[in-house]
Amino acid sequence: MGRGKLRIYLGSAPGVGKTYSMLSEAHRRVERGTDCVVAFVEHHHRPRTEVMLHGLETMPRSEIEYRGTVFTEMDVDAVLARKPAVVLVDELAHSNIPGSRNPKRWQDVEELLAAGIDVISTVNIQHLESLGDVVEAITGIRQKETVPDEVVRRADQIELVDMSPQALRRRMAHGNIYKPDKVDAALSNYFRPGNLTALRELALLWTADRVDEYLQEYRTEHRVSKIWGSRERIVVGLTGGPEGRTLIRRAARLAEKGAGGEVLAVYISRSDGLTSASPKELAVQRALVEDLGGTFHHVVGDDIPAGLLEFSRGVNATQVVLGVSRRRSWQYVFGPGVSATVARESGPDLDVHIVTHDEAAKGRGLPAARRAKLGRSRTIWGWFVGLAGPVLLTLLLSGALPDVGLANDVLLFLTLTVAAALLGGLRPALASAAVGSLLLNYYFTPPIHELTIADPKNVVALVIFVGVAIAVASVVDLAARRTHQAARLRAEAETLSFLAGSVLRGETGLDALLDRLRETFAMESVTLLERHDETEPWECVAGVGPGRPVARPEDADVDIPVGDHLALALTGRVLPAEDRRVLGAFAAQAAVVLDRQRLVDAAEEARRLAEGNKIRTSLLAAVSHDLRTPLAGIKASVSSLRSDDVEWSEEDQALLLEGIEEGADRLDHLVGNLLDVSRLETGTVTAVLRQTDLDEVVPMALVGVDDDSVELDIPETLPMVVVDRGLLERAVANIVENAVKYSPAGTPVLVAASAIADRVELRVVDRGPGVPDEAKDRIFGAFQRYGDAPRGAGVGLGLAVARGFVEAMGGTVTAEDTPGGGLTMTVSLRMEDGTPPFRSDATTEAP
């Protein structure tokens, strides 16, 4: 039984028509005879969507009781038992009610797919986990219901349901999305044109990236090497020279001219070592590329033009930006240069821009490092000089220069032997020495045209010739091997330097490290595998590259063990044994990064546990004393009233009852603050913002304090503020209560308000002992009481609750000194026409 296929309708905002499109697709499939059922669809009382459910088989939902209320969720067991061909599941990011089969609906969908059932679902762009921070910055709302990006990326089909912001707002105004009483609030806040435009752009860009992945997979599977210009990708070839910054900026300007343009800067180093590239300059250029929104790539290749073209075609680039060569005029005798070669071999599908710069024709600076291996062309030239050179020299000396003397003849042949050694190494030099000695003996040593030597001195000359030739060839070969070793070590040092630099810069993501390894060695995929013991199967911890990751190290082309339980597996080609040292460094670093990530997660979990323990310890202290104090007073008063030994007068009874009421009020206040802190800690405080006058809320907050202890100054001409009346009332009450507690007897606390710029500030001024500067922020922490406050004065939650409530409304609470002594609490709230983020229950509803 195969795995089912997943189709997702992706939208930019509620109401664009995802569910409607999903139901339309279901009707089309039913008409074609497909067994299609509705497992869970929420129409939100939208008439057009509700009508689309007619004619479709709907599965019954499971009922779950939670906190005294019955909720309905998708019945996964019923769907598995029914086993339709296609099932419709709305709202993929939905969180199931506690007690359900799975915590998240996408996990229910995974079960259906594993059972071989095709699933059609919907999701909004703001519910993707990776975009949570971006969406919060745009809309001011943190989405609590999210779905991992990988779940959506694994979908077999993703269809974008798009709608312009203007059309969506018209649909909202006509009442096709929300109920009429929520339309105005939604249009003026979450459904503002700017919000919708930004969310639409996110959806379009995310879908474009997914389409690009599909295209890359298709090109890889079908071995398409020709460039398809579906998207402007501009590759910048860097040499590590100072002209790189100019090239990067020019490429960025080219990318801006086309929608969705992408800049990829690539530095290609030879496998035998680096040229005169400055690591510092490369680091600067890397930072510049990333600041301009591009990416930096470092790859290894012996043939720079071929490597650059191969990289460009591999990423489906459309343009290549190169700089004019920095070589001087005489250096062109060694070849046309990288820019000219790339331009000649790019073909018609890849445009090459050669950009002038200030460093043109000024020279390369330090000479390039010698190749580690002599290479095929150089070896051929060495053999040609070693074998054909002596023959040509013999013809020249026999015809044009017949009487130069044997000594000069020997020196000329020795010159050819040295040249063969410099070009081709030891073997061509030995061959040149052998051929040269024979030709010298036959043509230039008496008796001529015989392989005999009459004069012993000539024997000595030929022996010296052969000995010098062999010695020179050996020295040249030894120098070449030492050069190869030095260049190899230099290349390894450069790679390890990049690796260490990425760690120092904080680029410690495991996927980024593996991707750097894949690019450095030009591999197809890199996978980090782990198992807990030798009897268990390997598990993929992380992997990069197209295609499925390997399941076992032995299935890869190259595998590097990392300890007893980790292994690095690479596919694409077999690497030489000399590369394993650098691979081992990458593998060790991957293990370190993995351990570091797990330690960070463990530290974060420990921090959360420590915070929880701190809260529980403080709560226990509060319960053990501060909550027991009013309970003890209440119990004592009740026991006295019920006592038969004493006959209480009406005045005494009234005092005891008043003590019971005061103790109950104090207990209620403490418990309320504890519950408020708990709500703030768990993030369940949601502000329902409305336009409100301060002079309507502040007096209600002062009901619990004596009239003589507070002086109120709230002008009626103040502009309206956007707040949650209930939260503001509680916050002001806690701040005023705290001020009255520390204010001297007979000195009232001043509560005044004024408008400043786009804010309204409410100030609570007392003449108490004040608070030092270093403690002004600490007093807003939970269970914090400043100075020698009596234990019965509370558990230190009032100011913490006040700040939490005000910040939930988009405001701030700060403490500052009162001129002349005391403390002033300033509550800053936004006016009616302010622009801070809007938070409202109406905006969190999703279709």
Side-chain angles (χ1 to χ4, degrees):
M1 179 181 61
R3 179 181 172 85
K5 294 184 177 180
L6 175 61
R7 178 171 183 166
I8 293 178
Y9 287 91
L10 177 67
S12 59
V16 295
K18 303 180 302 300
T19 305
Y20 188 92
S21 299
M22 179 179 66
L23 293 173
S24 299
E25 176 65 19
H27 279 287
R28 285 192 293 270
R29 299 201 180 196
V30 169
E31 291 174 0
R32 295 196 300 265
T34 305
D35 183 14
C36 182
V37 301
V38 177
F40 191 96
V41 169
E42 192 65 63
H43 54 73
H44 296 288
H45 304 290
R46 296 168 186 169
R48 296 177 182 270
T49 305
E50 192 171 0
V51 169
M52 292 297 293
L53 285 170
H54 297 167
L56 297 176
E57 179 184 349
T58 303
M59 298 292 298
R61 302 182 183 181
S62 62
E63 295 184 351
I64 302 175
E65 183 176 353
Y66 180 69
R67 293 184 178 180
T69 305
V70 177
F71 299 88
T72 60
E73 295 287 359
M74 179 176 65
D75 194 337
V76 181
D77 292 325
V79 177
L80 293 174
R82 170 67 171 75
K83 198 171 177 54
V86 181
V87 64
L88 272 60
V89 181
D90 206 2
E91 299 179 6
L92 186 63
H94 171 75
S95 298
N96 293 329
I97 295 297
S100 301
R101 184 187 184 96
N102 294 302
K104 302 288 289 188
R105 183 165 294 166
W106 64 264
Q107 296 171 325
D108 296 337
V109 169
E110 287 293 321
E111 287 195 32
L112 300 179
L113 293 172
I117 302 174
D118 293 346
V119 178
I120 305 178
S121 187
T122 65
V123 70
N124 276 334
I125 191 67
Q126 61 264 35
H127 294 296
L128 294 182
E129 199 169 72
S130 66
L131 300 178
D133 295 336
V134 180
V135 173
E136 183 179 15
I138 294 171
T139 64
I141 297 174
R142 183 70 180 187
Q143 298 293 336
K144 297 178 181 178
E145 293 190 333
T146 59
V147 58
D149 289 45
E150 185 60 27
V151 174
V152 182
R153 288 186 181 275
R154 285 202 306 264
D156 299 274
Q157 298 181 57
I158 299 177
E159 183 169 336
L160 177 65
V161 182
D162 188 30
M163 177 175 288
S164 67
Q166 294 77 13
L168 184 57
R169 283 172 58 85
R170 284 196 300 270
R171 179 178 289 184
M172 170 70 73
H174 294 160
N176 295 330
I177 302 178
Y178 290 152
K179 294 180 180 180
D181 59 337
K182 296 183 177 180
V183 169
D184 291 338
L187 286 175
S188 60
N189 296 283
Y190 189 87
F191 283 81
R192 289 178 295 182
N195 287 1
L196 297 179
T197 302
L199 292 174
R200 187 189 190 197
E201 182 181 20
L202 278 180
L204 291 171
L205 291 176
W206 194 92
T207 307
D209 288 340
R210 187 66 185 97
V211 172
D212 188 58
E213 291 178 11
Y214 279 130
L215 178 62
Q216 196 64 31
E217 292 175 4
Y218 178 87
R219 286 168 54 85
T220 302
E221 292 174 0
H222 293 79
R223 302 183 182 276
V224 178
S225 59
K226 185 178 180 180
I227 293 176
W228 291 351
S230 56
R231 181 179 180 183
E232 287 292 339
R233 283 187 178 84
I234 303 174
V235 171
V236 185
L238 301 178
T239 64
E243 77 281 359
R245 307 182 198 182
T246 302
L247 303 183
I248 293 169
R249 294 189 180 96
R250 178 64 60 87
R253 291 196 296 270
L254 290 174
E256 291 175 356
K257 296 179 180 179
E262 184 178 356
V263 176
L264 300 91
V266 57
Y267 171 70
I268 300 179
S269 61
R270 297 183 185 275
S271 61
D272 61 355
L274 298 176
T275 57
S276 57
S278 167
K280 182 178 180 180
E281 180 64 26
L282 283 177
V284 172
Q285 293 175 13
R286 178 191 183 98
L288 177 60
V289 170
E290 294 174 349
D291 289 342
L292 294 175
T295 56
F296 182 89
H297 304 267
H298 176 211
V299 299
V300 176
D302 289 330
D303 190 334
I304 303 299
L308 184 60
L309 289 172
E310 183 180 354
F311 176 84
S312 301
R313 293 191 172 96
V315 299
N316 201 27
T318 57
Q319 302 180 57
V320 175
V321 175
L322 300 172
V324 174
S325 178
R326 288 185 286 126
R327 295 188 299 173
R328 301 185 186 278
S329 301
W330 62 270
Q331 292 177 308
Y332 281 95
V333 298
F334 299 107
V338 174
S339 301
T341 304
V342 171
R344 184 182 67 247
E345 300 179 1
S346 62
D349 54 352
L350 185 61
D351 296 335
V352 179
H353 302 265
I354 300 180
V355 180
T356 59
H357 50 83
D358 295 336
E359 303 298 322
K362 291 186 177 180
R364 292 182 177 273
L366 295 177
R370 186 178 301 277
R371 299 175 65 87
K373 298 181 180 179
L374 297 178
R376 182 178 181 181
S377 61
R378 185 168 171 179
T379 302
I380 292 174
W381 275 104
W383 282 104
F384 177 81
V385 172
L387 297 178
V391 176
L392 295 176
L393 181 60
T394 300
L395 294 176
L396 177 64
L397 295 177
S398 300
L401 302 171
D403 299 321
V404 297
L406 180 60
N408 292 327
D409 292 337
V410 171
L411 290 176
L412 290 174
F413 276 92
L414 181 61
T415 302
L416 287 178
T417 302
V418 172
L422 292 174
L423 289 174
L426 180 61
R427 293 181 180 180
L430 294 178
S432 177
V435 173
S437 63
L438 291 175
L439 292 175
L440 281 170
N441 185 9
Y442 189 81
Y443 287 100
F444 303 103
T445 305
I448 306 299
H449 300 151
E450 291 183 11
L451 293 177
T452 58
I453 303 175
D455 189 353
K457 296 180 180 179
N458 295 336
V459 175
V460 174
L462 288 177
V463 171
I464 293 175
F465 164 74
V466 174
V468 171
I470 294 175
V472 170
S474 300
V475 171
V476 171
D477 183 72
L478 179 62
R481 285 189 283 113
R482 292 290 183 265
T483 301
H484 166 68
Q485 294 174 359
R488 181 72 192 178
L489 293 174
R490 187 178 182 183
E492 291 181 1
E494 166 61 11
T495 302
L496 295 175
S497 174
F498 265 87
L499 180 61
S502 65
V503 175
L504 293 176
R505 289 191 298 269
E507 301 172 357
T508 55
L510 190 55
D511 289 342
L513 180 66
L514 297 183
D515 196 62
R516 172 63 61 79
L517 172 60
R518 183 178 69 88
E519 288 184 356
T520 300
F521 291 95
M523 303 299 289
E524 289 183 1
S525 66
V526 179
T527 307
L528 184 62
L529 302 173
E530 183 183 32
R531 63 179 179 182
H532 299 291
D533 55 59
E534 296 181 356
T535 61
E536 293 186 4
W538 291 93
E539 296 180 358
C540 177
V541 178
V544 296
R548 289 190 173 184
V550 295
R552 300 177 305 170
E554 49 266 32
D555 297 335
D557 296 321
V558 180
D559 67 284
I560 304 295
V562 189
D564 297 331
H565 306 300
L566 279 176
L568 199 61
L570 299 88
T571 61
R573 62 190 178 95
V574 178
L575 295 176
E578 55 191 0
D579 285 331
R580 296 185 70 89
R581 180 165 50 185
V582 178
L583 285 174
F586 270 101
Q589 184 61 35
V592 171
V593 171
L594 179 63
D595 291 339
R596 182 179 300 174
Q597 288 180 352
R598 290 175 174 174
L599 288 174
V600 169
D601 295 339
E604 179 63 22
E605 181 64 23
R607 187 193 64 80
R608 288 196 295 267
L609 291 175
E611 288 291 333
N613 288 333
K614 180 180 178 182
I615 295 294
R616 283 190 289 271
T617 302
S618 301
L619 180 60
L620 180 62
V623 171
S624 63
H625 187 281
D626 295 279
L627 296 182
R628 291 180 62 184
T629 300
L631 283 174
I634 293 173
K635 181 173 179 58
S637 298
V638 171
S639 299
S640 299
L641 289 174
R642 297 187 60 185
S643 175
D644 296 330
D645 299 333
V646 180
E647 184 175 349
W648 303 98
S649 64
E650 293 183 0
E651 183 178 353
D652 293 335
Q653 292 179 6
L655 289 175
L656 291 173
L657 291 174
E658 183 179 355
I660 293 174
E661 184 177 9
E662 290 178 357
D665 290 340
R666 181 183 299 176
L667 186 62
D668 179 73
H669 182 70
L670 293 176
V671 172
N673 278 338
L674 288 172
L675 293 176
D676 289 338
V677 167
S678 176
R679 291 170 59 201
L680 290 171
E681 290 289 335
T682 57
T684 57
V685 175
T686 302
V688 181
L689 305 183
R690 296 289 184 269
Q691 299 175 8
T692 307
D693 286 320
L694 276 183
D695 58 357
E696 296 178 359
V697 179
V698 175
M700 299 296 298
L702 305 180
V703 173
V705 298
D706 296 335
D707 295 338
D708 297 338
S709 60
V710 177
E711 180 181 344
L712 193 61
D713 182 15
I714 308 293
E716 296 181 357
T717 57
L718 281 177
M720 301 179 71
V721 292
V722 181
V723 296
D724 183 306
R725 293 177 60 115
L727 296 184
L728 181 60
E729 183 178 328
R730 291 289 301 277
V732 174
N734 284 355
I735 294 174
V736 172
E737 178 186 350
N738 183 79
V740 171
K741 185 190 308 179
Y742 289 98
S743 188
T747 304
V749 172
L750 175 62
V751 180
S754 61
I756 300 177
D758 61 342
R759 315 288 290 182
V760 172
E761 290 188 350
L762 179 68
R763 295 179 301 281
V764 180
V765 184
D766 68 60
R767 294 293 180 178
V771 175
D773 292 338
E774 63 273 11
K776 283 187 171 62
D777 192 63
R778 194 168 62 246
I779 60 176
F780 292 101
F783 301 101
Q784 297 292 324
R785 295 190 297 186
Y786 175 70
D788 56 352
R791 294 290 298 176
V795 294
L797 294 175
L799 295 183
V801 171
R803 170 172 276 188
F805 282 174
V806 173
E807 290 179 349
M809 297 182 290
T812 60
V813 180
T814 56
E816 58 186 22
D817 294 330
T818 301
L823 188 68
T824 297
M825 292 286 186
T826 302
V827 180
S828 179
L829 305 168
R830 66 185 181 93
M831 293 183 187
E832 174 186 352
D833 55 348
T835 57
F838 184 85
R839 306 172 188 267
S840 172
D841 284 342
T843 63
T844 60
E845 179 184 350

PDB file of all heavy atoms in Angstrom, residues 270-274 369-372 482-492:
ATOM      1  N   ARG A 270      41.242  26.659  -6.435  1.00  0.00           N
ATOM      2  CA  ARG A 270      41.797  25.455  -7.036  1.00  0.00           C
ATOM      3  C   ARG A 270      41.990  24.383  -5.964  1.00  0.00           C
ATOM      4  O   ARG A 270      42.238  24.690  -4.798  1.00  0.00           O
ATOM      5  CB  ARG A 270      43.130  25.769  -7.706  1.00  0.00           C
ATOM      6  CG  ARG A 270      43.034  26.762  -8.855  1.00  0.00           C
ATOM      7  CD  ARG A 270      44.393  26.933  -9.495  1.00  0.00           C
ATOM      8  NE  ARG A 270      44.390  27.960 -10.514  1.00  0.00           N
ATOM      9  CZ  ARG A 270      44.042  27.761 -11.782  1.00  0.00           C
ATOM     10  NH1 ARG A 270      43.671  26.557 -12.171  1.00  0.00           N
ATOM     11  NH2 ARG A 270      44.067  28.748 -12.649  1.00  0.00           N
ATOM     12  N   SER A 271      41.913  23.133  -6.392  1.00  0.00           N
ATOM     13  CA  SER A 271      42.092  22.038  -5.432  1.00  0.00           C
ATOM     14  C   SER A 271      43.530  21.938  -4.953  1.00  0.00           C
ATOM     15  O   SER A 271      43.813  21.295  -3.946  1.00  0.00           O
ATOM     16  CB  SER A 271      41.678  20.714  -6.079  1.00  0.00           C
ATOM     17  OG  SER A 271      42.493  20.440  -7.206  1.00  0.00           O
ATOM     18  N   ASP A 272      44.465  22.579  -5.692  1.00  0.00           N
ATOM     19  CA  ASP A 272      45.860  22.514  -5.280  1.00  0.00           C
ATOM     20  C   ASP A 272      46.253  23.661  -4.366  1.00  0.00           C
ATOM     21  O   ASP A 272      47.398  23.833  -4.023  1.00  0.00           O
ATOM     22  CB  ASP A 272      46.763  22.518  -6.512  1.00  0.00           C
ATOM     23  CG  ASP A 272      46.590  23.788  -7.347  1.00  0.00           C
ATOM     24  OD1 ASP A 272      45.702  24.589  -7.006  1.00  0.00           O
ATOM     25  OD2 ASP A 272      47.338  23.970  -8.314  1.00  0.00           O
ATOM     26  N   GLY A 273      45.293  24.497  -3.975  1.00  0.00           N
ATOM     27  CA  GLY A 273      45.603  25.615  -3.105  1.00  0.00           C
ATOM     28  C   GLY A 273      45.022  26.895  -3.626  1.00  0.00           C
ATOM     29  O   GLY A 273      44.448  26.957  -4.699  1.00  0.00           O
ATOM     30  N   LEU A 274      45.188  27.952  -2.861  1.00  0.00           N
ATOM     31  CA  LEU A 274      44.603  29.243  -3.198  1.00  0.00           C
ATOM     32  C   LEU A 274      45.577  30.085  -3.995  1.00  0.00           C
ATOM     33  O   LEU A 274      46.784  29.893  -3.959  1.00  0.00           O
ATOM     34  CB  LEU A 274      44.211  29.982  -1.911  1.00  0.00           C
ATOM     35  CG  LEU A 274      43.167  29.280  -1.057  1.00  0.00           C
ATOM     36  CD1 LEU A 274      42.965  30.057   0.209  1.00  0.00           C
ATOM     37  CD2 LEU A 274      41.887  29.126  -1.820  1.00  0.00           C
ATOM     38  N   ALA A 369      49.744  30.241  -7.083  1.00  0.00           N
ATOM     39  CA  ALA A 369      50.434  29.034  -6.599  1.00  0.00           C
ATOM     40  C   ALA A 369      50.542  28.016  -7.721  1.00  0.00           C
ATOM     41  O   ALA A 369      49.654  27.897  -8.555  1.00  0.00           O
ATOM     42  CB  ALA A 369      49.663  28.441  -5.416  1.00  0.00           C
ATOM     43  N   ARG A 370      51.670  27.273  -7.731  1.00  0.00           N
ATOM     44  CA  ARG A 370      51.880  26.269  -8.773  1.00  0.00           C
ATOM     45  C   ARG A 370      50.894  25.126  -8.575  1.00  0.00           C
ATOM     46  O   ARG A 370      50.520  24.775  -7.471  1.00  0.00           O
ATOM     47  CB  ARG A 370      53.311  25.749  -8.696  1.00  0.00           C
ATOM     48  CG  ARG A 370      53.648  24.801  -9.844  1.00  0.00           C
ATOM     49  CD  ARG A 370      55.090  24.361  -9.742  1.00  0.00           C
ATOM     50  NE  ARG A 370      55.981  25.495  -9.793  1.00  0.00           N
ATOM     51  CZ  ARG A 370      56.381  26.072 -10.909  1.00  0.00           C
ATOM     52  NH1 ARG A 370      55.937  25.639 -12.067  1.00  0.00           N
ATOM     53  NH2 ARG A 370      57.203  27.095 -10.869  1.00  0.00           N
ATOM     54  N   ARG A 371      50.503  24.518  -9.699  1.00  0.00           N
ATOM     55  CA  ARG A 371      49.562  23.407  -9.635  1.00  0.00           C
ATOM     56  C   ARG A 371      50.183  22.246  -8.862  1.00  0.00           C
ATOM     57  O   ARG A 371      51.363  21.936  -8.982  1.00  0.00           O
ATOM     58  CB  ARG A 371      49.183  22.947 -11.040  1.00  0.00           C
ATOM     59  CG  ARG A 371      48.501  24.022 -11.858  1.00  0.00           C
ATOM     60  CD  ARG A 371      48.266  23.541 -13.262  1.00  0.00           C
ATOM     61  NE  ARG A 371      47.333  22.436 -13.284  1.00  0.00           N
ATOM     62  CZ  ARG A 371      46.012  22.569 -13.343  1.00  0.00           C
ATOM     63  NH1 ARG A 371      45.489  23.768 -13.382  1.00  0.00           N
ATOM     64  NH2 ARG A 371      45.235  21.510 -13.383  1.00  0.00           N
ATOM     65  N   ALA A 372      49.373  21.563  -8.107  1.00  0.00           N
ATOM     66  CA  ALA A 372      49.860  20.428  -7.338  1.00  0.00           C
ATOM     67  C   ALA A 372      50.285  19.286  -8.258  1.00  0.00           C
ATOM     68  O   ALA A 372      51.287  18.639  -8.038  1.00  0.00           O
ATOM     69  CB  ALA A 372      48.785  19.959  -6.374  1.00  0.00           C
ATOM     70  N   ARG A 482      57.081  18.580  -3.494  1.00  0.00           N
ATOM     71  CA  ARG A 482      56.981  19.448  -2.321  1.00  0.00           C
ATOM     72  C   ARG A 482      55.966  20.568  -2.558  1.00  0.00           C
ATOM     73  O   ARG A 482      55.224  20.970  -1.656  1.00  0.00           O
ATOM     74  CB  ARG A 482      58.361  20.044  -2.014  1.00  0.00           C
ATOM     75  CG  ARG A 482      59.378  19.019  -1.533  1.00  0.00           C
ATOM     76  CD  ARG A 482      59.010  18.540  -0.137  1.00  0.00           C
ATOM     77  NE  ARG A 482      60.022  17.617   0.368  1.00  0.00           N
ATOM     78  CZ  ARG A 482      59.951  16.307   0.272  1.00  0.00           C
ATOM     79  NH1 ARG A 482      58.892  15.745  -0.324  1.00  0.00           N
ATOM     80  NH2 ARG A 482      60.900  15.533   0.777  1.00  0.00           N
ATOM     81  N   THR A 483      55.934  21.065  -3.781  1.00  0.00           N
ATOM     82  CA  THR A 483      54.943  22.099  -4.108  1.00  0.00           C
ATOM     83  C   THR A 483      53.529  21.538  -3.992  1.00  0.00           C
ATOM     84  O   THR A 483      52.616  22.208  -3.494  1.00  0.00           O
ATOM     85  CB  THR A 483      55.185  22.624  -5.534  1.00  0.00           C
ATOM     86  OG1 THR A 483      56.493  23.169  -5.618  1.00  0.00           O
ATOM     87  CG2 THR A 483      54.164  23.690  -5.893  1.00  0.00           C
ATOM     88  N   HIS A 484      53.363  20.312  -4.468  1.00  0.00           N
ATOM     89  CA  HIS A 484      52.053  19.669  -4.356  1.00  0.00           C
ATOM     90  C   HIS A 484      51.634  19.527  -2.896  1.00  0.00           C
ATOM     91  O   HIS A 484      50.492  19.836  -2.527  1.00  0.00           O
ATOM     92  CB  HIS A 484      52.103  18.302  -5.033  1.00  0.00           C
ATOM     93  CG  HIS A 484      50.934  17.433  -4.693  1.00  0.00           C
ATOM     94  ND1 HIS A 484      49.647  17.710  -5.104  1.00  0.00           N
ATOM     95  CD2 HIS A 484      50.856  16.291  -3.971  1.00  0.00           C
ATOM     96  CE1 HIS A 484      48.838  16.776  -4.655  1.00  0.00           C
ATOM     97  NE2 HIS A 484      49.539  15.901  -3.968  1.00  0.00           N
ATOM     98  N   GLN A 485      52.557  19.086  -2.046  1.00  0.00           N
ATOM     99  CA  GLN A 485      52.222  18.927  -0.633  1.00  0.00           C
ATOM    100  C   GLN A 485      51.887  20.266   0.015  1.00  0.00           C
ATOM    101  O   GLN A 485      50.911  20.392   0.762  1.00  0.00           O
ATOM    102  CB  GLN A 485      53.382  18.261   0.093  1.00  0.00           C
ATOM    103  CG  GLN A 485      53.651  16.827  -0.341  1.00  0.00           C
ATOM    104  CD  GLN A 485      54.895  16.255   0.296  1.00  0.00           C
ATOM    105  OE1 GLN A 485      55.590  16.943   1.056  1.00  0.00           O
ATOM    106  NE2 GLN A 485      55.213  15.004  -0.019  1.00  0.00           N
ATOM    107  N   ALA A 486      52.694  21.290  -0.282  1.00  0.00           N
ATOM    108  CA  ALA A 486      52.449  22.613   0.309  1.00  0.00           C
ATOM    109  C   ALA A 486      51.124  23.188  -0.160  1.00  0.00           C
ATOM    110  O   ALA A 486      50.355  23.767   0.622  1.00  0.00           O
ATOM    111  CB  ALA A 486      53.592  23.558  -0.043  1.00  0.00           C
ATOM    112  N   ALA A 487      50.846  23.029  -1.470  1.00  0.00           N
ATOM    113  CA  ALA A 487      49.589  23.570  -1.998  1.00  0.00           C
ATOM    114  C   ALA A 487      48.395  22.832  -1.418  1.00  0.00           C
ATOM    115  O   ALA A 487      47.354  23.425  -1.128  1.00  0.00           O
ATOM    116  CB  ALA A 487      49.586  23.475  -3.524  1.00  0.00           C
ATOM    117  N   ARG A 488      48.554  21.516  -1.260  1.00  0.00           N
ATOM    118  CA  ARG A 488      47.459  20.733  -0.682  1.00  0.00           C
ATOM    119  C   ARG A 488      47.178  21.180   0.754  1.00  0.00           C
ATOM    120  O   ARG A 488      46.024  21.368   1.152  1.00  0.00           O
ATOM    121  CB  ARG A 488      47.849  19.257  -0.711  1.00  0.00           C
ATOM    122  CG  ARG A 488      46.786  18.325  -0.168  1.00  0.00           C
ATOM    123  CD  ARG A 488      45.638  18.214  -1.120  1.00  0.00           C
ATOM    124  NE  ARG A 488      44.506  17.571  -0.498  1.00  0.00           N
ATOM    125  CZ  ARG A 488      43.356  17.382  -1.096  1.00  0.00           C
ATOM    126  NH1 ARG A 488      43.197  17.790  -2.343  1.00  0.00           N
ATOM    127  NH2 ARG A 488      42.361  16.794  -0.478  1.00  0.00           N
ATOM    128  N   LEU A 489      48.230  21.332   1.520  1.00  0.00           N
ATOM    129  CA  LEU A 489      48.055  21.791   2.896  1.00  0.00           C
ATOM    130  C   LEU A 489      47.474  23.194   2.943  1.00  0.00           C
ATOM    131  O   LEU A 489      46.672  23.531   3.820  1.00  0.00           O
ATOM    132  CB  LEU A 489      49.399  21.743   3.630  1.00  0.00           C
ATOM    133  CG  LEU A 489      49.971  20.344   3.877  1.00  0.00           C
ATOM    134  CD1 LEU A 489      51.356  20.451   4.483  1.00  0.00           C
ATOM    135  CD2 LEU A 489      49.046  19.547   4.771  1.00  0.00           C
ATOM    136  N   ARG A 490      47.857  24.037   1.978  1.00  0.00           N
ATOM    137  CA  ARG A 490      47.322  25.388   1.937  1.00  0.00           C
ATOM    138  C   ARG A 490      45.833  25.378   1.631  1.00  0.00           C
ATOM    139  O   ARG A 490      45.062  26.137   2.220  1.00  0.00           O
ATOM    140  CB  ARG A 490      48.075  26.202   0.890  1.00  0.00           C
ATOM    141  CG  ARG A 490      47.714  27.678   0.880  1.00  0.00           C
ATOM    142  CD  ARG A 490      48.541  28.427  -0.143  1.00  0.00           C
ATOM    143  NE  ARG A 490      48.246  29.840  -0.143  1.00  0.00           N
ATOM    144  CZ  ARG A 490      48.783  30.704  -0.980  1.00  0.00           C
ATOM    145  NH1 ARG A 490      49.653  30.276  -1.882  1.00  0.00           N
ATOM    146  NH2 ARG A 490      48.463  31.980  -0.935  1.00  0.00           N
ATOM    147  N   ALA A 491      45.428  24.510   0.694  1.00  0.00           N
ATOM    148  CA  ALA A 491      44.007  24.393   0.382  1.00  0.00           C
ATOM    149  C   ALA A 491      43.228  23.894   1.592  1.00  0.00           C
ATOM    150  O   ALA A 491      42.131  24.375   1.901  1.00  0.00           O
ATOM    151  CB  ALA A 491      43.801  23.462  -0.806  1.00  0.00           C
ATOM    152  N   GLU A 492      43.791  22.890   2.307  1.00  0.00           N
ATOM    153  CA  GLU A 492      43.116  22.390   3.500  1.00  0.00           C
ATOM    154  C   GLU A 492      43.022  23.477   4.571  1.00  0.00           C
ATOM    155  O   GLU A 492      41.983  23.619   5.243  1.00  0.00           O
ATOM    156  CB  GLU A 492      43.875  21.190   4.043  1.00  0.00           C
ATOM    157  CG  GLU A 492      43.794  19.960   3.160  1.00  0.00           C
ATOM    158  CD  GLU A 492      44.551  18.784   3.752  1.00  0.00           C
ATOM    159  OE1 GLU A 492      45.107  18.943   4.865  1.00  0.00           O
ATOM    160  OE2 GLU A 492      44.570  17.735   3.113  1.00  0.00           O
TER     161      GLU A 492
END
